Amino acid sequence: MIKKTLFAAAAILTLSAAAAHAAPCTDDQEATAGMLAAGIGKTAVSKVVAVTGKQMVNIEACEFRAGSYQVDYKYNFLAADGLYWVELSAKFGADGSGATTKVNRSSPNMAAAEAKAGVKLAAN
């Protein structure tokens, strides 16, 4: 009985410690993540459309764990023929390295540009 109790307590402590490493971003971390996310978003969409103008990032969720960001965000940008947007999930290091991205949704004109370029970024 004591061994089972100790095992359960150890499991709870392990789960608590793991959860403590994943925390919502502070304001400073979110600002840094936003700057890095803009560059990552630009790289992701450049396979389809060249970003030629202003960029804006709207962060929906941001977590910082074990030196990496996990960010869900909407990336708006200007291209030669208008305004585009994509919604992405990205994971990247504190310096922007090792980025992995997933495009969740995109604007209708982005979807048309994907079709024209023969590149599928989003699953919509």
Side-chain angles (χ1 to χ4, degrees):
M1 179 70 170
I2 292 175
K3 286 184 182 180
K4 286 183 183 178
T5 304
L6 288 175
F7 178 74
I12 290 170
L13 286 174
T14 300
L15 290 174
S16 297
H21 291 292
C25 294
T26 64
D27 289 344
D28 288 342
Q29 288 172 327
E30 190 168 309
T32 300
M35 299 266 261
L36 296 170
I40 291 165
K42 183 177 181 177
T43 299
V45 302
S46 68
K47 299 170 191 162
V48 176
V49 176
V51 177
T52 60
K54 294 190 179 200
Q55 306 169 65
M56 185 179 93
V57 172
N58 183 21
I59 295 181
E60 300 295 324
C62 179
E63 286 188 356
F64 189 73
R65 63 177 96 143
S68 293
Y69 289 100
Q70 174 69 45
V71 183
D72 295 326
Y73 64 104
K74 186 173 186 177
Y75 175 64
N76 299 283
F77 63 95
L78 287 174
D81 60 344
L83 176 68
Y84 291 80
W85 60 264
V86 291
E87 292 178 357
L88 302 109
S89 295
K91 183 176 181 180
F92 48 89
D95 61 354
S97 63
T100 59
T101 60
K102 177 182 175 194
V103 177
N104 300 315
R105 291 184 42 200
S106 62
S107 60
N109 58 342
M110 185 66 172
E114 289 176 62
K116 184 177 178 181
V119 176
K120 188 76 171 151
L121 298 178
N124 61 346

